[in-house]
Amino acid sequence: MSVADKILKNVQLEKLIIKKDYSTSAEFLHNSQINSWELMKNNFEALKKIETKTFLFDGFKINVQFNPGRIKSTSAEVDENSISSRKCFLCIENLPDEQKGISLPSNFILLCNPYPIFKRHFTISSLTHQPQRIEESFKTFLELSKLFSNKCTLIYNGPECGASAPDHLHFQAGISKAMPVEDDILQIKNDYGKIVKEDDVSIVSLIDDGLRKIILIESTNDAELKLNFIKIINSYRELSSAISEPMINILCSHDEESGWNLIIFLRSRHRPKNYYKTGTDKIVVSPAAVDLGGLIITPREEDFNKLDKEIIKQIFSEISPSAQTFSAFTKKLIEDFN
Ligand SMILES: [Zn+2]
């Protein structure tokens, strides 16, 4: 199986790609795959009938989605042994026969996610089997988010806090504004944020909204955005004594007028304690970028029914750094920036 065999061939689509209209191309791919791939069609049909419930916090909201199709991803074993003993599901040769994609710049392919959370849900996968790491791929991450300006939000999950394939570099893309934080972020920044750096092209804010520890970078300049990002990664690596990549989840959107909005969620652990319990104490929620973005996925109905504001607070407090760690981080970052 070669890469060329997996690329969707269509004259109309090729014209869109020549025009660099990747948003319409993605829509084309979605519609084509819905018509030719039974599993994907059924799962997107099921998504339309899915139950959600909403909790209002002070200045922002959290939605909970009951999505049985996500059980495999939510409960994926990502320890080294499990990873090395399975076939990599993102490598081209292991993709389902029906799955086709669109070639993207920088050696990436756009694929439809057949187990969706959003009504448009894509995987952006590297054509090379290489570890999930953001520092080396950050520039590409920004470029790809620009290709889907205003239409899709890009998602990155760190290898130790949400990526279900930590051995294969990949991002996700979801239709814009599907996660509450995308609408809420400026309000959250006003209510709970502290600006630690501001110049002509960038604003860096640190936000503790009582649930999450967030860094927001608003920037019109990709080179400076990268410099700021690397500084943040290095500071958090040092503070959390991480050996390789510190635990983070990222959402990135781009707008032609205002540039990039990069939302970084700092993490302290992969899964909350309740995940590992048995019987009625068990709650199958495995938070990643989407959940921190305010759309919590529960694959089991009992967990969907059980989740309330208190449990949500408990889960988020267990997987995020403490208020003390965050304030130490804030202090350190202000020093690093000045
Ligand atoms: Zn792979």
Side-chain angles (χ1 to χ4, degrees), residues 88 90-91 129 167-168:
C88 175
L90 290 179
C91 276
H129 183 83
D167 54 340
H168 192 123

Side-chain angles (χ1 to χ4, degrees), residues 167-186:
D167 54 340
H168 192 123
L169 178 62
H170 67 285
F171 311 121
Q172 295 176 65
I175 191 162
S176 288
K177 310 276 184 185
M179 289 168 271
V181 78
E182 297 179 74
D183 282 321
D184 294 341
I185 190 67
L186 294 180

Side-chain angles (χ1 to χ4, degrees), residues 86 88-94 126 128-130 167-169:
R86 62 108 169 93
C88 175
F89 59 88
L90 290 179
C91 276
I92 286 287
E93 61 270 26
N94 301 328
S126 167
T128 317
H129 183 83
Q130 57 175 311
D167 54 340
H168 192 123
L169 178 62

